[in-house]
Amino acid sequence: MLPLITAIFFASLLGSLHCAGMCGAFLAIATGDTGSWKRHALLQSAYHGGRLLSYTLLGAVAGAVGHFINLGGMLAGVSRVATVVAGATLIAFALFTLLQVTGANVGRLHPPAALGRLVASAHRRAMSHPPLARAGLIGLFTTLLPCGWLYAFATAAAGTASPVLGALTMAVFWLGTVPVLVALGAGLRSVLGPVGRRLPVLTCLVLVVVGT
């Protein structure tokens, strides 16, 4: 399990510039309350705490789903169905992303309109709360965002076929995203220059390793 967790952490860390692009605006809203650096740190903590809670819950649910898929497979005489399906899905996602990064015309997957309405409604509700609660709720609602990276790691969590290991997988994914999000990613991307542009490729290669 340790090699898998290590690979997930580094894939998450490498791909966290994508998270900065997806979540950076929401983080700015969540921590936009004026005040001292201590106040800002408190809002950051609430936002990332909400993310951690929602990610681990998602991982636990995904792991439980994988467990029941494996049980169904065993009844049909097939073992480790969830693990095989999760690995294949991760590899397919990584290859699809690599094609996009290299400029291939492979199209884009569009989330359902209902999901967009749900995200908008959730964030409207969050904005009606005081700053600290708002930051926590916005972090909590990040699992609703149409994020391919998040779904890829949730698939890895399902492949563990265990609610505990699934929650651990998503907690490690969360941990890998924290440094860049705290640094607000955009400035870091400009500092990294050409290396930063190659990080999606490196991330996809690590996802292929995780999927195998």
Side-chain angles (χ1 to χ4, degrees):
M1 187 64 190
L2 183 59
L4 174 63
I5 292 300
T6 303
I8 287 172
F9 174 75
F10 281 107
S12 173
L13 187 64
L14 290 171
S16 56
L17 284 177
H18 166 84
C19 295
M22 173 67 76
C23 300
F26 297 101
L27 174 60
I29 294 171
T31 60
D33 185 51
T34 57
S36 66
W37 67 268
K38 291 183 179 179
R39 176 68 172 175
H40 182 76
L42 188 61
L43 292 174
Q44 280 262 13
S45 298
Y47 173 77
H48 291 297
R51 290 177 62 239
L52 175 60
L53 177 60
S54 62
Y55 285 10
T56 52
L57 287 175
L58 175 62
V61 171
V65 171
H67 175 70
F68 286 112
I69 290 175
N70 273 1
L71 286 179
M74 289 174 63
L75 292 176
V78 182
S79 62
R80 301 181 64 196
V81 175
T83 304
V84 173
V85 171
T89 303
L90 278 175
I91 293 171
F93 173 78
L95 293 178
F96 180 80
T97 305
L98 277 173
L99 289 173
Q100 285 186 323
V101 170
T102 56
N105 186 16
V106 293
R108 291 186 177 274
L109 299 177
H110 298 284
L115 179 60
R117 290 193 294 269
L118 180 61
V119 171
S121 175
H123 283 89
R124 280 197 301 270
R125 290 178 180 275
M127 294 303 293
S128 66
H129 288 75
L132 192 61
R134 180 182 68 213
L137 287 172
I138 291 176
L140 193 67
F141 295 149
T142 53
T143 52
L144 300 176
L145 295 175
C147 174
W149 292 110
L150 175 63
Y151 299 156
F153 286 97
T155 300
T160 66
S162 163
V164 174
L165 294 180
L168 177 60
T169 297
M170 292 305 294
V172 171
F173 166 70
W174 167 86
L175 183 63
T177 66
V178 168
V180 164
L181 283 176
V182 169
L184 295 180
L188 181 61
R189 184 190 296 268
S190 63
V191 170
L192 289 174
V195 175
R197 290 192 291 272
R198 291 184 174 87
L199 285 181
V201 175
L202 296 175
T203 305
C204 290
L205 294 177
V206 176
L207 284 181
V208 170
V209 172
V210 173
T212 55

